[in-house]
Amino acid sequence: MGGIERKGARRPTGYGAQDKRFETYPPHDQWDAWKANDPQAWPRRVQREYMIVPTVCFNCESACGLTAYVDKETFEVHKLEGNPHHPGSRGRNCAKGPATINQIKDPERILHPLRRKGPRGGGGWERVSWDHVLDTFAEQLNAAFSADRPNDVMYFVGRPGEDGFADRFLETWNCDGHNSHTNVCSSGGRAGFGFWSGTDRPSPDYANTKFALLISSHLEAGHYFNPHAQRIIEGKHRGAKIAVIDPRLSNTASMADYWLPAWPGTEGAALLAIAKILLDEDLYDKDFVRRWVNWRTYLQQADPAAELTFDNFIVALKKEYEQYTPRFAEQETGIPAQTLVQVAREIAEASPAFTSHIWRAAAAGNLHGWLVTRAVMLLNVLTGSVGAVGGTSPNAWNKFIPAPWKKPTSNTQWNERNWPREYPLAHNEMSILYPHMLLDDRFTQPVLLTRVLNPIWTYPDGYSWMRALRDEQRVGLHGALTPTWSETAWWSDYVLPMGHGPERHDTHSYETHSGRWLGFRQPVQRVAMERLGHEVEFTYEANPGEVWEEGEFWIELSWRADPDGSLGIRQYYESPYRPGEKIRLEEYYRWMFENSVPGLPEKAQAQGMEPLEYMRRFGAVEVSRDDYAQHEEEVATPEGATVQGLEETVTLPEMSPTHMPLTGRGDRVAVMVDGVARKGFNTVSRKLELFQPDLAEWGWPEVATPTYARTHVHHSLIDHERGEYVLMPTYRLPTMIHSRSGNAKFLNELSHTHPLLVCPQDAERIGVQDGGLARVETEIGFFVIKAMVTEGIRPGIVAASHHMGRWRLAETEGMARWSSALVTMEEAQDTVLFRQVHGVQPWESEDPSSSRVWWNDAGVHQNITFPVHPDPISGMHCWHQKVRVTAAREDDRYADIFVDFKKAREVYRKWTSVARPAAGDLRRPIWLFRPVKPVLDAYALPQDEATRAARERMERGEHPDARELHKILDWSPEAVWGAAPQAQVSTTR
C-alpha cells in the first residue's frame, strides 16, 4: 500500500494568522460580575450574575486554560469555557475541557472518603472522615520512616497534572517512591530524544514550520492535542506541508499532504532512507552538523584509523547509511521509493523550518520503538532544524518549572521496585513489571498510594495487577486517590476523592510552542467564596461533598507523619511567612509567584496586584517567547574549568559525592564551538549525540547510532493464511481521556464504541462482515469485538482504540454507568473470564440525562488480554502485537474477555530474559533523565553475585544482537492456542 499525496489548491499565506480571541470573551474587567441569562430557564429570561474564575483543564496533558462561571448566589459552577489569557491554548478548548462540568456534577461521583468493609474487591464500603484517613496513613508512614525504610511507601501516579509538587514531598520523606505510568505511555519517545540531546521530548514550532512530519495522528488526538492542533493549522494556512506516517487513515492523515501508511515498526527504514537521500544529494546543513554533532566521537568508533576530519566523518556516515536505499525502504514499509525521494527533497527545501513529532505511536508500539525516535530526530539534525524558527527544539527550552519554597535535598535511596537493575537505561520507572515483581516475591509494598492511576484497566495484563493488589500479604495499605471510580480503586482499602480541574491547585507548563508560560489551576468555588468574604480553611469545605485536593492532603499527611519534627520532615512544611507554623497552600504558591517566576511581579504590579492575585485573576502568565537557538548561548568559562575530550567539553572539577553532577566525572557546563564556549545541549558532550557512548558502554553497541532494527511485529513474522495479523491498540480518540472520561456524559455520548478496524480483503479472508463479531487471540487470552470493515486501515493490520471497555462488578457502583458494562468475573486457578450481563442502560438519578441514555455499547477491555512486552533498552511496553483473528465462535458473546494468568507469567519471563542488566559500578548513567533523582551515592551498584554474573555474561558476549531480538520474541498462535477453527462469517449477537 503506497503513500498518498494530496492534490488541490492551498489556502493563501497568512490565512487565519490574526489573533482575535479576546473579542468573543467577556471583558476581563467584568469577570467579577458578569451577567447573563440562564439557558436552563429558557424561554423565560432569568438573569444570573457570575464570577468568572480561571483555572486549568485536567482532562489531558495539554493543561489548556479554562474559565469557570460560578454563580455568585449559590456558588454552583454553571459552565466552563476557554481562557483567552492562556498563552498555550489561547482561549480554545477541545470537547474535553467544557465536559469537565459533567465530571464535577456527575451524580455517581465519590463525595466522601471511603474505607473498605470485608475483603478487597468485595464491594463493601463505609464513609470515614479525612482525619481518620490522615491518621491511618500517617501512622504507617511514621513507622516506615522511623525504621529507615522509606521505600516501604510508594507513590504511584498516572497522569500527574502538576509540575514538581510530588517530587518535593517525596524528597522531604527521603523516599525513592515515585512510580509512574510513563512506560505504558512515552518511554520510547523519551529515550530516543534523551539519547540525542539529554532532553526527553521535542518542542515543535508548528506555527512557523514549512514542512511537518508527524508519526501518527498528533493533530487529531495526540500529544498536547489542542495547542498543537491550532498551530499545525496555522502553519498549514501559511503554506506548510504535512506528512503523516501512520498505518491508519486518521483524521490528521486525511488532511495531510502525504499519508504514508508504513507497516508498524518499519518507520525507521523510511526515515533512514530520507537521511540517505539528504546525504547523497548534499542536502544537509554542513555547518550545523560540523558544529553541533559529536562527529569526532562517532568517527573514532566507526573508523578508528581515519584522521579526525569532518570530510572523513561524512564518508563514514554515508557508508553507514548506504544500505537504506529508497528501494529497501519500500520493501520494508510499503511506501513507494519515489514518494520517499520526493518527501526528502521537500524536507530539504523547507529546512531549517522543518519540524517533526513522535511521542507514542511507533515509539510506544514496537520493540526498538525508541530507534524510530532516534531516526526522525536525525532528519532534524541533518537539516539544521534544531532550535531554528519553524524547527524542533528540546522541550526544556519551552517549559518552565518554578522553584518551590525551601527545596529539600535529594533523597539518599534507590528503589529497585521502580528502577530494577535489569533496565539501567529505561525511561522512566519500570511500572509494567511492578505486579510481576510482587508476584515473584522480590519485595512487598507496606504502603501504596495510587493517584489518578487505573492499571487494572489502562495497563496491559491487568489481571496480574488484580492478583497482586488484592493480596494483602504483598500489598499492605492501599489508598486510591482518584476523582472518580475506577476498576483499580475497587480493589483498594481506601478510596480518597480528589478534585477535578476546577477543584484543586497546581502549576503547569508544557512545550506548546516556542515560548514559555506557567498556568495556575485553582479550585474555583473556593476562590469565589473567599473573594466574597467567606472563610475556607481546606478546599474540601468549598468543593462538592468532601472532595479534597492533593496539595493540602500531602501537606497534612507529611505534618502528621512527623509529629515532633524529629524525622526532619516538618521543617519543609513550615510557613515562610509565619515561622514555625504549618504552611497553607496559598502561601506555597504565593512564595513561588513572588520569588520564582521571572517577570511575574512586574506584570502584577502593572495591574495593581500582588503576584498571587495576578495568577488568580488571569490563570496564566507568559514567561518568555521566541526561545530559539539556546544552544548557541555564549558561556563565561568558570574558574578552574578545563576543556576535555574529543568534543572539547568545558568541564568543572570533581564535586562532592552528595552533589548531583551531570556525570560522575565532573559537571559539563559548556562546549567549545569554533573557539567559543557555548551552552550546547544537555548531554555529557554538550552536543547532539549521533554516537551515544553510554549505549555502547552499557552493553548495546550495535544500536549506539540511529539504526533500523526489525520489530516483534515485522511482516516477515506474520502469516495471514494462519489468521495472523498485527493489532494496533494505541490510537486515541480526541474526545476521550484515558480512564478519566468515564463520568463525562457529553464525551460518552460522542464516543462509546471502538470497533476493530479491518480492511476489506482481510475481512473476506477472516470471514467477518461489517458489524459482525471477531475473536482476537493474543498470547495470553482473547477478546470478542465488533468488526468495522474500512479502507482506512492498511492491509495486514487490525486496530481498536484503547479508550473503551470499562466494566463494573456491581450494578450501582464501581464505575460510572455512563460508560461501563456490568460484568461477571469467573475465575479458575489460572484463568479468568469476564462476560457482560448488560451494557450501558438508562437509570434514575438527580441528573435527568441518566434516564435518557440512548446508547448501550461500552466497548471491549482489550488491554487486559495483552501480556507485558518491556523494550530492553527504553523500558517501553511494546503495545503492538501479533494476534490471531477469526470470526467469533458459536459460544462467543460480544465483549467476552479471557485471560490465562500462567501464560501471562511465561511471556513476562521471556521478554525480561533479553534485558541486559547493569554490570559496572553504577546502576544507571548519572546524566540520564529520571524523576526525583537521588544523590550520587545511591547510584552505586551493589557488587553482588547478580552484578558479577551480568558482567561475566557481557564479557563473554552471550547477548544476542539487538537487531535479532524479534526472532527470539516471536510466537506461534498454533503453539499457544492450537489450530484455528475454520473461518466463517459471523453475525452480530
Side-chain angles (χ1 to χ4, degrees):
M1 189 171 189
I4 299 175
E5 181 185 1
R6 171 174 293 281
K7 304 294 185 182
R10 305 183 57 78
R11 292 185 182 271
T13 300
Y15 181 90
Q18 188 175 358
D19 185 357
K20 297 183 178 181
R21 66 182 184 272
F22 294 107
E23 296 179 6
T24 57
Y25 292 86
H28 190 265
D29 60 6
Q30 297 181 36
W31 280 18
D32 270 354
W34 178 251
K35 295 180 180 179
N37 289 333
D38 183 355
Q40 298 297 322
W42 188 87
R44 294 177 297 119
R45 292 177 178 270
V46 178
Q47 195 170 75
R48 303 285 188 191
E49 186 170 317
Y50 301 102
M51 181 180 293
I52 300 176
V53 182
T55 189
V56 172
C57 185
F58 190 32
N59 279 341
C60 82
E61 197 176 352
S62 298
C64 298
L66 287 176
T67 51
Y69 287 66
V70 183
D71 190 303
K72 293 176 70 173
E73 184 177 331
T74 65
F75 295 108
E76 180 184 5
V77 179
H78 169 65
K79 68 173 181 177
L80 293 115
E81 63 181 25
N83 177 6
H85 299 281
H86 190 289
S89 56
R90 304 181 294 186
R92 302 160 186 162
N93 296 94
C94 72
K96 299 190 283 286
T100 302
I101 195 71
N102 299 157
Q103 296 170 308
I104 63 177
K105 293 188 175 184
D106 174 33
E108 296 190 306
R109 72 178 301 190
I110 306 164
L111 294 175
H112 304 90
L114 300 177
R115 175 177 62 183
R116 73 172 167 95
K117 293 173 61 178
R120 282 185 185 156
W125 302 96
E126 62 182 352
R127 177 178 168 181
V128 293
S129 69
W130 278 115
D131 273 331
H132 165 79
V133 171
L134 290 164
D135 287 342
T136 299
F137 280 87
E139 181 181 358
Q140 294 288 321
L141 265 61
N142 181 270
F145 301 158
S146 298
D148 196 25
R149 298 194 312 272
N151 289 344
D152 280 2
V153 181
M154 175 78 75
Y155 165 78
F156 208 141
V157 63
R159 178 61 59 200
E162 58 89 14
D163 284 327
F165 197 100
D167 295 4
R168 183 182 186 275
F169 76 70
L170 288 167
E171 287 181 329
T172 69
W173 296 354
N174 192 34
C175 172
D176 192 29
H178 185 282
N179 207 337
S180 73
H181 79 297
T182 304
N183 79 324
V184 298
C185 172
S186 55
S187 291
R190 290 173 187 266
F193 288 113
F195 290 137
W196 261 114
S197 65
T199 306
D200 71 345
R201 66 183 75 182
S203 180
D205 187 22
Y206 289 128
N208 298 302
T209 196
K210 295 179 181 177
F211 195 104
L213 176 61
L214 307 178
I215 315 293
S216 92
S217 58
H218 292 280
L219 171 56
E220 173 195 352
H223 202 50
Y224 307 145
F225 159 47
N226 167 42
H228 276 177
Q230 296 179 32
R231 292 169 173 88
I232 292 173
I233 290 299
E234 287 174 15
K236 187 173 177 64
H237 286 170
R238 292 183 177 123
K241 285 197 171 184
I242 300 172
V244 175
I245 302 179
D246 193 338
R248 180 180 67 96
L249 183 62
S250 64
N251 291 346
T252 312
S254 70
M255 296 295 291
D257 297 279
Y258 294 95
W259 175 38
L260 309 175
W263 183 272
T266 65
E267 296 87 351
L271 297 168
L272 295 180
I274 293 174
K276 172 180 169 57
I277 295 163
L278 295 175
L279 288 167
D280 289 349
E281 298 188 7
D282 202 24
L283 299 175
Y284 61 97
D285 187 329
K286 298 180 180 63
D287 196 50
F288 181 88
V289 174
R290 179 187 63 80
R291 297 173 76 241
W292 288 111
V293 171
N294 69 337
W295 60 265
R296 295 176 181 85
T297 305
Y298 169 87
L299 183 56
Q300 187 180 67
Q301 298 293 323
D303 188 356
E307 182 183 358
L308 292 178
T309 66
F310 186 74
D311 288 343
N312 284 342
F313 157 71
I314 292 297
V315 170
L317 192 64
K318 287 182 176 180
K319 182 178 180 180
E320 172 151 350
Y321 292 117
E322 66 183 2
Q323 62 184 303
Y324 299 110
T325 64
R327 181 61 58 193
F328 168 80
E330 179 177 341
Q331 293 169 350
E332 287 293 290
T333 67
I335 302 171
Q338 188 54 45
T339 301
L340 292 173
V341 173
Q342 186 172 340
V343 168
R345 291 170 180 166
E346 291 199 32
I347 287 173
E349 183 180 356
S351 301
F354 159 64
T355 195
S356 64
H357 202 304
I358 179 173
W359 193 234
R360 298 179 180 95
N366 300 292
L367 175 69
H368 312 306
W370 63 277
L371 280 174
V372 181
T373 308
R374 286 273 278 166
V376 74
M377 184 65 180
L378 176 62
L379 304 185
N380 284 99
V381 172
L382 288 176
T383 56
S385 303
V386 180
V389 176
T392 300
S393 298
N395 81 303
W397 295 7
N398 302 142
K399 181 178 176 67
F400 176 74
I401 303 178
W405 155 247
K406 199 172 185 177
K407 181 167 172 42
T409 57
S410 299
N411 75 75
T412 61
Q413 309 293 314
W414 190 280
N415 195 339
E416 287 211 7
R417 298 169 173 89
N418 306 333
W419 302 94
R421 63 181 67 187
E422 294 93 329
Y423 295 88
L425 303 176
H427 287 63
N428 291 358
E429 302 93 350
M430 292 300 300
S431 62
I432 56 172
L433 302 186
Y434 184 77
H436 285 284
M437 291 191 292
L438 278 167
L439 295 164
D440 284 343
D441 295 321
R442 288 179 65 163
F443 57 85
T444 60
Q445 192 64 65
V447 182
L448 177 62
L449 291 156
T450 54
R451 175 177 176 263
V452 196
L453 181 77
N454 187 15
I456 287 177
W457 182 80
T458 307
Y459 273 52
D461 198 8
Y463 184 57
S464 292
W465 279 92
M466 188 186 301
R467 298 271 292 234
L469 290 177
R470 72 186 183 190
D471 187 338
E472 296 183 47
Q473 301 304 310
R474 291 185 164 93
V475 177
L477 179 64
H478 177 193
L481 289 76
T482 174
T484 185
W485 276 112
S486 72
E487 289 82 352
T488 301
W490 188 255
W491 300 90
S492 66
D493 300 311
Y494 286 85
V495 180
L496 308 178
M498 296 294 166
H500 290 287
E503 300 169 335
R504 49 184 294 123
H505 289 92
D506 298 295
T507 54
H508 298 263
S509 180
Y510 295 124
E511 58 280 3
T512 57
H513 61 287
S514 185
R516 295 183 299 161
W517 52 266
L518 184 67
F520 186 39
R521 180 178 292 132
Q522 54 185 341
V524 299
Q525 290 168 289
R526 174 175 181 164
V527 170
M529 292 173 69
E530 290 179 329
R531 199 170 290 169
L532 292 175
H534 296 259
E535 290 189 9
V536 180
E537 182 180 5
F538 295 116
T539 297
Y540 67 74
E541 299 167 8
N543 280 344
E546 289 185 323
V547 172
W548 211 359
E549 59 170 315
E550 282 92 338
E552 287 182 340
F553 175 81
W554 298 123
I555 290 172
E556 291 297 314
L557 181 60
S558 301
W559 192 262
R560 297 190 191 200
D562 187 13
D564 58 5
S566 61
L567 296 176
I569 296 174
R570 274 204 174 202
Q571 61 177 310
Y572 298 107
Y573 299 93
E574 294 180 355
S575 169
Y577 304 100
R578 299 173 294 111
E581 297 185 52
K582 182 172 53 182
I583 194 171
R584 294 192 292 261
L585 200 55
E586 64 91 10
E587 293 177 319
Y588 177 89
Y589 290 109
R590 174 185 163 191
W591 188 95
M592 177 183 288
F593 297 151
E594 289 176 348
N595 297 278
S596 299
V597 184
L600 175 56
E602 293 77 13
K603 291 182 179 180
Q605 186 177 25
Q607 296 285 337
M609 303 175 186
E610 295 297 319
L612 176 61
E613 181 65 11
Y614 180 96
M615 295 298 284
R616 288 212 184 281
R617 295 281 182 172
F618 288 94
V621 64
E622 186 175 55
V623 178
S624 63
R625 61 176 62 182
D626 297 333
D627 295 318
Y628 300 108
Q630 293 187 27
H631 58 296
E632 295 280 4
E633 180 183 327
E634 294 188 21
V635 176
T637 305
E639 184 178 351
T642 57
V643 177
Q644 296 184 2
L646 292 176
E647 308 303 336
E648 298 185 324
T649 311
V650 180
T651 309
L652 293 178
E654 192 71 37
M655 297 186 176
S656 89
T658 57
H659 177 74
M660 177 45 62
L662 184 64
T663 75
R665 302 173 296 278
D667 204 347
R668 270 69 168 180
V669 296
V671 62
M672 301 301 295
V673 178
D674 293 339
V676 178
R678 299 188 183 274
K679 180 180 177 181
F681 298 91
N682 199 34
T683 57
V684 174
S685 68
R686 307 300 289 185
K687 289 189 175 181
L688 295 166
E689 298 199 332
L690 173 71
F691 176 81
Q692 215 301 307
D694 281 301
L695 280 167
E697 184 179 335
W698 290 71
W700 300 94
E702 65 270 41
V703 289
T705 57
T707 190
Y708 171 64
R710 289 180 169 178
T711 82
H712 68 302
V713 293
H714 189 264
H715 43 73
S716 64
L717 305 175
I718 308 299
D719 185 347
H720 298 318
E721 297 307 316
R722 298 194 305 175
E724 297 176 12
Y725 295 88
V726 173
L727 173 64
M728 191 172 72
T730 52
Y731 77 88
R732 304 173 65 177
L733 301 180
T735 48
M736 292 283 106
I737 318 161
H738 295 292
S739 68
R740 281 177 290 136
S741 51
N743 65 337
K745 64 181 180 183
F746 294 165
L747 300 182
N748 284 283
E749 185 172 19
L750 290 170
S751 305
H752 47 261
T753 186
H754 64 157
L756 186 74
L757 306 184
V758 187
C759 79
Q761 55 263 53
D762 288 336
E764 183 177 1
R765 182 188 294 115
I766 294 166
V768 65
Q769 295 178 339
D770 190 57
L773 293 186
R775 171 190 276 233
V776 181
E777 296 177 350
T778 71
E779 284 176 278
I780 67 169
F782 68 82
F783 60 93
V784 180
I785 190 170
K786 295 174 185 176
M788 177 180 175
V789 181
T790 173
E791 296 281 2
I793 189 74
R794 182 195 166 105
I797 315 298
V798 294
S801 164
H802 77 285
H803 292 291
M804 307 299 171
R806 311 306 302 276
W807 52 267
R808 63 188 190 277
L809 295 172
E811 183 65 74
T812 61
E813 60 185 355
M815 252 305 297
R817 280 184 275 184
W818 305 106
S819 60
S820 64
L822 180 69
V823 303
T824 59
M825 185 175 74
E826 304 170 19
E827 292 188 275
Q829 181 176 355
D830 287 318
T831 63
V832 63
L833 172 68
F834 291 87
R835 174 157 280 181
Q836 280 195 12
V837 177
H838 62 73
V840 179
Q841 293 181 338
W843 80 98
E844 297 297 326
S845 75
E846 62 189 45
D847 183 347
S849 294
S850 68
S851 64
R852 298 194 290 264
V853 169
W854 56 266
W855 62 94
N856 58 29
D857 197 353
V860 182
H861 184 196
Q862 57 179 341
N863 290 9
I864 201 170
T865 70
F866 304 164
V868 292
H869 288 164
D871 182 272
I873 294 178
S874 70
M876 180 75 220
H877 171 66
C878 305
W879 283 98
H880 296 167
Q881 58 202 284
K882 178 162 74 175
V883 296
R884 185 167 68 184
V885 185
T886 65
R889 302 178 185 179
E890 287 300 322
D891 57 346
D892 285 340
R893 286 167 50 182
Y894 175 63
D896 277 357
I897 305 160
F898 176 81
V899 178
D900 187 318
F901 173 68
K902 185 177 180 180
K903 289 180 179 177
R905 297 283 286 156
E906 291 171 356
V907 177
Y908 151 72
R909 295 187 188 100
K910 179 170 72 171
W911 275 72
T912 53
S913 71
V914 301
R916 300 182 188 177
D921 298 325
L922 297 174
R923 296 179 178 272
R924 176 181 181 81
I926 297 166
W927 69 274
L928 206 60
F929 174 81
R930 62 150 286 184
V932 201
K933 274 191 172 184
V935 297
L936 182 57
D937 285 350
Y939 276 73
L941 180 67
Q943 298 302 303
D944 52 18
E945 183 57 37
T947 303
R948 287 190 289 273
R951 185 179 299 122
E952 290 172 2
R953 187 179 179 189
M954 185 178 294
E955 290 172 351
R956 291 195 299 267
E958 294 180 357
H959 295 298
D961 190 294
R963 293 161 294 197
E964 300 299 317
L965 294 183
H966 63 292
K967 298 176 182 177
I968 298 171
L969 299 173
D970 185 32
W971 62 280
S972 163
E974 283 80 4
V976 174
W977 290 106
Q982 185 175 356
Q984 58 184 358
V985 176
S986 174
T987 57
T988 305
R989 291 168 173 82

